[in-house]
Amino acid sequence: MRDARGFCHRHSWGLVRRGAAFGAAIVMRDVVRTLQRTLADARFRNMPLLSLTRVQETLDAQQPRSSTAEAVAALGPQTPCPVCVFEGDVEGALVANFLENLQREGGLLPAYRASDGFCLSYVRQILARVSGEAAFQMIVEAQQAIWTRLEQQLSELIRKSDYRYGDEAVGRRAPPGCVRLPP
Ligand SMILES: [Zn+2]
C-alpha cells in the first residue's frame, strides 16, 4: 500500500462506505506518513542555466520541469494499485474461462450473441487472449452482430429525434443484459 501510494482513484472510492472509516483511516494515515517522508527527502535540482533542457523548458511552459522530476516520480505510485492487480488476475481467469467455454458444445456462444455483449475494454481483453483463428472468428462474428444491433438502435433513436417523427415512442424491450454463465 505504501509503495502504491494508496489505491488508485477508482478504487479509493471503495473506501467510502459506512463502517469502513476506522480501517481506511489506519491505512491512509500510513500512506500519508510515507508521502510526508518522501516529500521531506525531495530536492530541487538546479539545472545549468544554458543547458538545452533548461532552454527547452523555458520555451514551453507546459513541459514538466527536470528540476522537480525526481520528486514528482517519488511521490507517484512505485507499484500498481493492489486492487487493480487483484482485479486483473480475476478478469484474466474469467476471460480464459469464457474462451474455453465459448468453443465447447452447448457453450456460451448463443448467449453471448443474443446479449448486449461486452464493453470495449473486455472485447479487447478477450481478443488479446485468443490463440486460435476459429475462436477469433467466433468472437468477431458475435460482436459484429451485437454492434450492428446497437448501431441500428442508435440510428433509430436519431431518426425519432427528428421533429417529423417526434410522436413515435422511443425505446425497445428491456435489454437482455450481460452474458450469464450457466450454473
Ligand atoms: Zn485500482
Side-chain angles (χ1 to χ4, degrees):
M1 285 294 295
R2 284 181 197 125
D3 288 346
R5 308 295 188 240
F7 297 118
C8 67
H9 182 263
R10 184 163 64 97
H11 288 126
S12 292
W13 282 102
L15 296 171
V16 184
R17 56 198 162 88
R18 197 175 288 274
F22 179 65
I26 290 173
V27 171
M28 294 319 293
R29 183 180 65 176
D30 206 78
V31 173
V32 170
R33 284 177 175 173
T34 304
L35 294 176
Q36 285 176 305
R37 280 195 299 274
T38 308
L39 200 55
D41 292 340
R43 296 289 172 266
F44 186 90
R45 307 269 174 219
N46 275 309
M47 304 298 289
L49 204 59
L50 291 174
S51 70
L52 183 63
T53 312
R54 181 96 178 246
V55 173
Q56 282 172 339
E57 287 177 0
T58 309
L59 292 172
D60 184 0
Q62 301 294 322
Q63 193 175 322
R65 302 310 192 203
S66 311
S67 303
T68 54
E70 211 172 289
V72 171
L75 286 168
Q78 310 296 300
T79 59
C81 159
V83 184
C84 281
V85 172
F86 176 73
E87 196 178 67
D89 291 347
V90 172
E91 283 174 355
L94 289 172
V95 167
N97 191 284
F98 171 77
L99 282 171
E100 194 194 312
N101 188 297
L102 195 68
Q103 294 169 86
R104 240 186 257 153
E105 201 164 321
L108 278 172
L109 187 61
Y112 172 41
R113 208 177 184 288
S115 77
D116 285 341
F118 294 103
C119 65
L120 181 57
S121 168
Y122 281 122
V123 171
R124 295 177 67 223
Q125 280 194 52
I126 290 164
L127 287 178
R129 287 177 170 84
V130 169
S131 47
E133 195 176 350
F136 174 80
Q137 294 298 352
M138 259 181 212
I139 291 157
V140 167
E141 189 274 330
Q143 196 60 45
Q144 286 285 36
I146 290 160
W147 279 340
T148 299
R149 288 200 300 273
L150 177 62
E151 193 277 337
Q152 286 166 352
Q153 286 161 17
L154 292 170
S155 296
E156 188 62 0
L157 180 92
I158 291 163
R159 187 188 69 79
K160 287 177 181 174
S161 301
D162 188 309
Y163 74 96
R164 288 169 294 176
Y165 314 107
D167 48 356
E168 288 184 30
V170 178
R172 58 163 184 135
R173 65 184 169 77
C178 227
V179 176
R180 295 268 180 269
L181 287 170

